[in-house]
Structure formats: structure tokens, C-alpha cells
Amino acid sequence: MFETLQALPADPILGLSVAYREDPNPDKVDLGVGVYKTEQGQTPVLSSVIAAQNRLVATEQTKAYQGPVGSEGFNVALQQLILSDDPALQQRAATLQSPGGCGALRLGAELIREINPQATIWVSTPTWANHIPLLGSAGLKLQEYPYYDPASQSVNFDAMVEVLKTVPAGDVVLLHGCCHNPCGTDLTLEQWQQLADMARQQGFTPFVDLAYQGFGDGIEEDAAGLRLLAKQLPEMLIASSCSKNFGLYRERTGAITVVSATAEASNNARSHLMKVARGIYSMPPAHGALLVEEILTGDLKQQWQQDVAEMRERIHSLRLLLANALADAGDFSFIPQQKGMFSFLGLSPEQVGRLKTEHSVYMVDSSRINIAGVNSGNIDYLAEAIRKVL
Ligand code: PMP
């Protein structure tokens, strides 16, 4: 059976990490995979997570199955983090723990297909590369709407609206909650409002991917757009991830949230999500969700807010540092205006290739960089390498 298969090429982003690891150049710079890094180039366990983990190890009584629902304490706490503690919203929402944001995206896509197999999911151009297989593998059709304008390094909202005007009732529009991956350019609240009006008039359903809450303007601020939709629209879906803001990448911690007109409709939808989960991976891993629950429901919450603020502020200061270091190489003033870990440098694939082969600077072919890979030790080398290929 297996001899018919050809080996597939490595995933472009994950393949970049392997190439970086194998590069002997001591000056090499990794701006590829989207993980947060400290000044020392480490991806640390957050101090709040270490504290929660110590408590969990001391008190955990069992590793027995939790079932497809995961931890209900986590589900409630995460829902509040995303939607705020507005009781009217909470009542209309139902949340289910998932294996990371990826698991949540896939569960959402499976639910949409079950309800409407003809539905198309509209994704931004560009979008995070893994959105395509995660949503497409559920059997849904995908279409694109314009989003990032490379010439102005900002959102081309008019073009976006022009295409989204054609989205019919029953289709789904995937939106990045904050810190757009890969372009770092977000919608304003006025633009979220315009999208809410269009969704209500046309009858499409927003599906918000919230993978970087707290990395843009703040934990509450970064959820403002999706909360606006949730308050004003009868229905939406939210896929959320604890990978970045809790630093729990490998623990696979996230959730899918359904917001409906009534509590009953949301709970019914959640029962279908549980059936889907049972048929794919049965139940989510427990450890990361128990840590998040411990943090969000007790005295560690403030420490976690500080952990997140530290990451956010560091990323912002790196954006300023990079723009300054490149000031004589062109106009890079857009970098500090963008949010989260990613920005496009605006280089050609050929220039990106030269950065890799001639200078051991690794980034995705589109010239998307992970800002958190910059530090005071590599900034001068990096800026000089970029200057040389420009
Ligand atoms: N959505 C976006 C936009 C992302 O960048 C990521 C992680 N890179 C995810 C979702 C999923 O994250 P995870 O499955 O690791 O929680």
C-alpha cells in the first residue's frame, strides 16, 4: 500500500527551522517560526506558568480521562478572557477546549460543513499558510478576499469590502482577531463595525481566529473587534489559542467558542463539536488547559498579565529598534505601526534567498519576519545583511 507514496517536501516554515539549526554560522539569525523569544533567543516558560505548574504537580490527583469537553473550568475562564465577563454575551456563548488554535479551527470547519456542506470560507490575502489545509481538509471550499496592500503596507479596506459585499448568506468569513499573521496589520474598530453591519445585512457568519490576544495593544484591547461582532450579531465562531499568550505552544491548548442567538443553540452546537472531537482525537490534552485555568481563576492572573505585558512591550521595542536600524536603507517606518510578532519586510524571494545563503538570515520566502527573533546582539548584523541585499 505505502510503496505508491512519494515523500512530500518539508513544510516551508518548519523546514526553515531545520535549515537554521544545521547552519554552522555563529552569526545566524532565525526570523522564521512564530514563537516568542527573549533577548537571549530563548522561548521561556512564563513565570505564571511555572507557578501554576508547581501547584498542579503538588495537587493533581488523577490522570483519568476528562472526556471531549476537556476542563469545564478552563472553558468558562477562557470564554471570559475572550468575550469579557459580560453576562449577556456569556449566556449566548458555548466554549469547548481544543488541541491548540489549530484544533479549534478544524473543529469550527467541521461544524460548518455539517450544517452547510456548500458553505465557502473566505480567507484574507494573505493569510496564515496553515489556514488553508486546516479549513480545506474539512471539505469546505475556500475563497480569498483582498486584505494587505504591499505598496502602502496597510489594509486595503475598500478592496476588502468590495469583495466581501458579494459573500452570500450561509458563507463564513475568517478574520484575524488581532496581530494579523503574516502582515501585522489590523482592522480599526470602525472597520470591525462596518464588517458587523455587512454580516448582519448579508447573513454571512464571521469566524475569528484569535491567536495573539495580548500581543497587540493589550489583553482587553485586542479582543475589542471580536467582542463588537459578538454583541451585535446573532452568530459567530471564535478559535482561540493559548500557545503564544501563555507560552504553551507544545501543550496544545486552545478553544472553540460558538456565539448564537440563544444559549440553547450554542449548547446544541457545542454538542456537535464534541461529537466531531470524539471522531478525530477523542479528547484534548489536559495539562496546558489546567495551567490556564489555575492562572485565570486565582491569584496568578496578575502575574500572567505582567508576563504578557513584558512580551508585548519587548516586541514593540524591537519594532522600533529594527525600523531605526534600517532607517538609512529605505522607508521601514511601517514596522513600529504594525502589531504582534510579524511584518513583511517587502523583499523579493530572490533577496530572501540571498539573505539565507550569503548571510545565514532565515525568514519565510514572502519576507515575513518574526520580530521576536531580533535582539540587541544580532540587530546590527541583521540590518547590515538586509542593506546588502537591497
Ligand atoms: N492562528 C494563527 C493565525 C496562528 O499564527 C497560529 C499559530 N501559529 C494558530 C492559529 C494556531 O496555533 P496553535 O495551534 O499552536 O495554538
Side-chain angles (χ1 to χ4, degrees):
M1 184 199 286
F2 306 121
E3 61 274 15
T4 59
L5 296 176
Q6 305 286 319
L8 290 174
D11 173 277
I13 299 184
L14 300 181
L16 211 56
S17 302
V18 176
Y20 170 80
R21 236 178 290 134
E22 289 170 357
D23 187 335
N25 184 347
D27 294 327
K28 62 188 176 178
V29 181
D30 180 15
L31 306 178
V33 178
V35 294
Y36 177 78
K37 290 181 192 165
T38 61
E39 178 66 16
Q40 291 72 35
Q42 306 299 324
T43 301
V45 185
L46 302 187
S47 74
S48 52
V49 168
I50 293 173
Q53 195 154 261
N54 288 337
R55 289 183 193 176
L56 191 62
V57 167
T59 56
E60 197 168 43
Q61 299 291 325
T62 182
K63 293 284 188 190
Y65 292 126
Q66 283 184 313
V69 75
S71 161
E72 286 291 30
F74 165 85
N75 291 333
V76 170
L78 199 69
Q79 189 185 103
Q80 274 190 18
L81 184 70
I82 301 162
L83 291 178
S84 79
D85 47 12
D86 175 349
L89 257 187
Q90 301 274 317
Q91 234 196 352
R92 295 170 45 222
T95 298
L96 184 72
Q97 189 187 320
S98 64
C102 289
L105 286 160
R106 181 58 185 268
L107 285 176
E110 295 283 345
L111 180 69
I112 294 160
R113 201 210 37 192
E114 188 182 323
I115 298 166
N116 177 10
Q118 301 313 318
T120 293
I121 300 202
W122 295 75
V123 298
S124 61
T125 307
T127 197
W128 178 45
N130 210 24
H131 277 148
I132 312 298
L134 277 171
L135 305 171
S137 303
L140 290 166
K141 282 176 288 195
L142 294 173
Q143 288 225 48
E144 298 186 11
Y145 61 84
Y147 187 81
Y148 181 69
D149 172 28
S152 62
Q153 292 108 3
S154 60
V155 178
N156 187 346
F157 193 65
D158 290 345
M160 177 178 177
V161 165
E162 213 42 50
V163 170
L164 291 184
K165 265 189 201 157
T166 67
V167 175
D171 275 5
V172 174
V173 175
L174 186 80
L175 299 161
H176 294 231
C178 64
C179 307
H180 189 284
N181 180 2
C183 71
T185 314
D186 288 341
L187 299 170
T188 63
L189 268 186
E190 291 72 34
Q191 290 169 336
W192 281 100
Q193 181 60 57
Q194 217 170 313
L195 292 178
D197 295 341
M198 290 171 72
R200 194 171 38 251
Q201 280 155 21
Q202 295 168 225
F204 63 75
T205 302
F207 187 175
V208 175
D209 181 6
L210 186 65
Y212 299 91
Q213 185 179 4
F215 273 38
D217 292 324
I219 294 166
E220 301 303 318
E221 293 84 343
D222 289 351
L226 77 88
R227 287 177 188 170
L228 182 153
L229 297 187
K231 280 189 193 134
Q232 297 186 20
L233 295 177
E235 289 192 350
M236 72 182 292
L237 280 168
I238 304 155
S240 51
S241 166
C242 303
S243 298
K244 316 287 151 93
N245 55 4
F246 288 85
L248 286 171
Y249 308 86
R250 65 174 64 170
E251 301 293 356
R252 313 308 302 131
T253 310
I256 174 94
T257 296
V258 184
V259 181
S260 307
T262 64
E264 191 190 1
S266 291
N267 287 324
N268 290 349
R270 196 177 90 140
S271 73
H272 284 255
L273 287 167
M274 281 159 65
K275 193 189 86 184
V276 172
R278 193 80 177 122
I280 305 181
Y281 55 81
S282 189
M283 51 194 83
H287 187 70
L290 293 177
L291 298 178
V292 171
E293 183 179 342
E294 176 66 29
I295 290 168
L296 292 180
T297 57
D299 58 322
L300 292 175
K301 188 166 179 186
Q302 211 184 350
Q303 193 175 337
W304 171 71
Q305 286 164 338
Q306 279 163 11
D307 286 336
V308 177
E310 203 176 294
M311 293 191 282
R312 176 176 62 248
E313 283 158 18
R314 180 177 141 72
I315 293 167
H316 185 64
S317 64
L318 291 174
R319 286 183 169 279
L320 288 167
L321 191 71
L322 187 58
N324 283 340
L326 292 174
D328 58 357
D331 184 6
F332 289 93
S333 58
F334 62 91
I335 295 178
Q337 280 148 33
Q338 297 179 341
K339 303 278 163 67
M341 291 210 288
F342 307 112
S343 280
F344 285 125
L345 280 183
L347 307 180
S348 68
E350 189 256 327
Q351 289 168 322
V352 171
R354 283 185 55 208
L355 277 173
K356 184 160 76 169
T357 51
E358 295 171 23
H359 304 284
S360 300
V361 172
Y362 289 79
M363 67 184 68
V364 185
D365 281 349
S366 60
S367 82
R368 183 202 82 166
I369 56 164
N370 174 14
I371 303 279
V374 179
N375 57 53
S376 58
N378 66 21
I379 181 79
D380 292 337
Y381 177 81
L382 172 65
E384 185 56 21
I386 293 171
R387 248 180 253 119
K388 281 185 179 150
V389 302
L390 274 174

